[in-house]
């Protein structure tokens, strides 16, 4: 039994307020990501390869906040974060504040496989990317007109400089393969108007990204500062491994803890054997799932989208 889940961010997403053409484009992107990951798993491939393939599709799709179409920092720069983790031996790689790599999730995998490190940042990570001959891209690829408009709107406000509503979040994927292994990958542009080199939970192993064959794989999206403080990815996995909780109970408890701290968001979780679950505490979350015995399904808005 194999299974794959993807997400494209959680936030203030309501059907009545969201343009129909944008919703259709996002659903198409989620389906494309599922197809890319499922092709790996259906052929007997590893969860690690499946989550990278799925996230690369979402990074290339401007409907989501990762890679092309990532949100802009306060000074107008694209600063990308990504992480990937292999549940087989808990190997992990991550990058923060990179600006030139077309697919940051693949750079995170190179960090995992080609260095003794877990997390590289900024100019050093960009240099490593070039040394690894990964495909580079410029501002004309990453920065879309819509993201420039959102930044201008935010900078014109007098009531704050930070997108507190987290309307356009992270992308991610989790998978369990037919061999009993799990993996997770997450990628983001952060939040609109971020300053001072702000880094959220996405590239922090154990917060926004985590995978352990003894428990599950987790990819998170939402108000990153609170997900960091709660150690969301590791906490969910620990509850499955040590507390003998179900996925549903562990996720509910941990997201409840995040809410108690003041944060909102969502997670996707996959465990060996094909068990999987998603949950979110925001009005909506871009999400999709597929498995060996069920067809692809995608949703954006509340639970009614999962009917």
């Amino acid at each position: 039994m194999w299974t794959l889940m993807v997400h494209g961010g959680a936030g203030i997403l309501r059907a009545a307020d969201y343009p129909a053409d944008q919703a259709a484009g996002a659903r198409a992107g989620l389906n494309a990501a599922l197809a890319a990951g499922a092709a790996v798993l259906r052929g007997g491939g590893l969860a690690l390869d499946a989550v990278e393939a799925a996230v690369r599709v979402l990074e290339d799709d401007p409907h989501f906040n990762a890679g092309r179409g990532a949100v802009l920092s306060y000074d107008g720069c694209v600063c990308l974060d990504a992480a990937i983790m292999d549940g087989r031996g808990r190997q992990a790689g991550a990058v923060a504040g990179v600006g030139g790599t077309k697919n940051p999730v693949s750079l995170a995998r190179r960090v995992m496989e080609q260095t003794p490190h877990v997390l590289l940042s900024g100019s050093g990570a960009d240099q490593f990317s070039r040394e690894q001959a990964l495909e580079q891209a410029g501002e004309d690829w990453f920065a879309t007109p819509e993201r420039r408009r959102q930044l201008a709107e935010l900078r014109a406000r007098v009531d704050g400089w930070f997108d507190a509503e987290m309307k356009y979040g992270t992308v991610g994927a989790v998978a369990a393969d037919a061999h009993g292994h799990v993996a997770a990958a997450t990628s983001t542009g952060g939040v609109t108007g971020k300053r001072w080199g702000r880094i959220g939970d996405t590239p922090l192993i154990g917060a926004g990204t985590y995978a352990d064959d003894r428990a599950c794989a987790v990819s998170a999206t939402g108000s990153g500062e609170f997900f960091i403080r709660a150690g969301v990815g590791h906490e969910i996995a620990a509850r499955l491994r040590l507390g003998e909780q179900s996925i549903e109970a562990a996720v509910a408890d941990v997201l409840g803890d995040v809410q108690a701290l003041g944060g909102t968001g969502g997670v996707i979780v996959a465990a060996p054997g094909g068990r999987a679950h998603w949950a979110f505490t925001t009005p909506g979350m871009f999400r999709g799932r597929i498995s060996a015995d069920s067809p692809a399904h995608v949703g954006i808005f509340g639970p009614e989208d999962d009917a």
Side-chain angles (χ1 to χ4, degrees):
M1 178 66 70
W2 57 262
T3 190
L4 171 71
M5 280 188 164
V6 299
H7 72 74
I12 310 301
L13 298 163
R14 297 186 177 92
D17 303 323
Y18 203 74
D21 61 332
Q22 290 295 308
R27 290 180 189 275
L30 292 167
N31 274 309
L34 289 174
V40 174
L41 296 167
R42 194 176 288 117
L46 292 173
L48 182 68
D49 295 324
V51 296
E52 181 186 11
V55 169
R56 284 178 61 97
V57 170
L58 296 172
E59 287 177 333
D60 288 344
D61 191 323
H63 289 94
F64 306 102
N65 172 20
R68 185 180 182 215
V71 299
L72 303 177
S73 67
Y74 192 82
D75 58 5
C77 294
V78 173
C79 299
L80 308 173
D81 306 332
I84 194 166
M85 189 165 183
D86 187 344
R88 290 176 293 177
R90 285 176 284 166
Q91 295 90 352
V95 291
V98 299
T101 305
K102 183 172 180 285
N103 292 108
V105 68
S106 294
L107 177 54
R109 183 166 181 177
R110 292 293 180 91
V111 173
M112 179 179 74
E113 295 179 338
Q114 301 297 324
T115 81
H117 309 303
V118 171
L119 176 60
L120 300 183
S121 68
S123 60
D126 286 332
Q127 177 184 344
F128 174 70
S129 176
R130 294 189 296 270
E131 291 174 355
Q132 290 291 305
L134 291 175
E135 185 175 359
Q136 304 294 296
E139 188 174 290
D140 57 341
W141 167 260
F142 293 116
T144 64
E146 173 62 10
R147 296 308 194 196
R148 293 189 187 281
R149 184 199 65 76
Q150 291 167 5
L151 177 62
E153 180 182 273
L154 183 142
R155 292 183 65 172
R157 287 167 31 187
V158 297
D159 59 344
W161 48 267
F162 186 76
D163 180 17
E165 292 181 341
M166 306 286 182
K167 294 184 293 294
Y168 308 97
T170 304
V171 307
V174 294
D177 61 35
H179 313 288
H181 305 304
V182 297
T186 319
S187 182
T188 189
V191 293
T192 301
K194 63 185 180 181
R195 292 192 187 187
W196 310 305
R198 179 265 185 188
I199 297 169
D201 63 307
T202 291
L204 302 186
I205 302 304
T209 308
Y210 196 71
D212 184 344
D213 276 2
R214 301 172 299 172
C216 63
V218 181
S219 178
T221 174
S223 42
E225 281 70 15
F226 298 97
F227 279 66
I228 294 169
R229 291 164 57 190
V232 166
H234 185 273
E235 181 70 11
I236 290 172
R239 287 170 178 265
L240 266 64
R241 181 168 63 90
L242 302 174
E244 299 183 351
Q245 281 188 296
S246 67
I247 294 179
E248 294 80 4
V251 167
D253 285 352
V254 175
L255 288 182
D257 183 38
V258 170
Q259 280 190 293
L261 292 174
T264 60
V267 296
I268 53 174
V269 184
R275 294 172 295 141
H277 180 60
W278 62 42
F280 48 98
T281 60
T282 49
M285 181 173 79
F286 297 102
R287 59 200 184 274
R289 64 173 182 256
I290 190 170
S291 68
D293 62 355
S294 63
H297 169 82
V298 301
I300 299 175
F301 307 113
E304 68 277 4
D305 231 358
D306 295 327

